[in-house]
Amino acid sequence: MNLPNKITVSRIFLIPIFMIVMYMGNSWGTYHLGEVELPVSHFVGALIFILASTTDWVDGYYARKLNLVTNLGKFLDPLADKLLVSAALIILVELGYAPSWIVIVIISREFAVTGLRLVLAGEGEVVAANMLGKIKTWTQIIAISALLLHNLPFEWIHIPFATIALWVALFFTIWSGWDYFYKNRYVLLNSK
């Protein structure tokens, strides 16, 4: 397994650590930042989530720079993204920080695209993420990070950045999903 794939696998291994930390609740105490209370575990969880998310850029950078792009990497990288984002969104719903219907739309898109990737793989094709898919991933990461941090520092100036970011993420999730299916519609329309 090459370096970029090891970095991707490390992202997957950070997911259960992130989840355990998030479920610690107020057991580590709470930061009182003006009118905002931020449990220490949510702050640490946000840092773990952000660290795990940045490995998405790092593994891609090294894969391209060192010419180590592999089919395994093309498979693992989007899978790691989907697992990390799904875990974080489900926790945010459970904590009451994200509407469940938005999370259902986002996760449903991920399942649908994964299903299409499996069909494409059955046809001998491995499709790497395109730019719209990368924008979708980064808007989701920004929204989730803002929600994990309880909208700080924007909460101090009363700007609902986390909510706006979640809507932007939803928009790009839907758009990129439609684009992915449209560009690969031939696979679903052709029958053998």
Side-chain angles (χ1 to χ4, degrees), residues 45-160:
L47 292 179
I48 293 169
F49 177 82
I50 292 166
L51 172 67
S53 298
T54 58
T55 65
D56 183 36
W57 177 82
V58 173
D59 62 16
Y61 172 79
Y62 282 116
R64 288 183 298 277
K65 181 178 180 181
L66 302 174
N67 197 25
L68 295 173
V69 175
T70 64
N71 283 342
L72 178 63
K74 289 179 188 177
F75 169 75
L76 283 179
D77 185 58
L79 177 65
D81 294 340
K82 288 170 181 28
L83 291 172
L84 178 63
V85 166
S86 295
L89 287 171
I90 291 167
I91 287 171
L92 287 168
V93 167
E94 186 173 339
L95 295 173
Y97 298 134
S100 59
W101 75 268
I102 291 178
V103 171
I104 289 168
V105 170
I106 291 172
I107 292 175
S108 296
R109 181 264 187 213
E110 302 304 341
F111 275 113
V113 168
T114 299
L116 182 55
R117 282 181 181 270
L118 291 172
V119 171
L120 289 167
E123 297 289 318
E125 296 183 43
V126 177
V127 180
N130 63 16
M131 184 53 69
L132 195 53
K134 292 177 183 182
I135 292 169
K136 178 267 312 177
T137 299
W138 282 103
T139 59
Q140 289 175 353
I141 289 167
I142 290 166
I144 291 167
S145 299
L147 289 165
L148 290 171
L149 291 169
H150 297 220
N151 196 45
L152 288 173
F154 300 98
E155 192 63 27
W156 294 328
I157 53 176
H158 306 290
I159 295 174

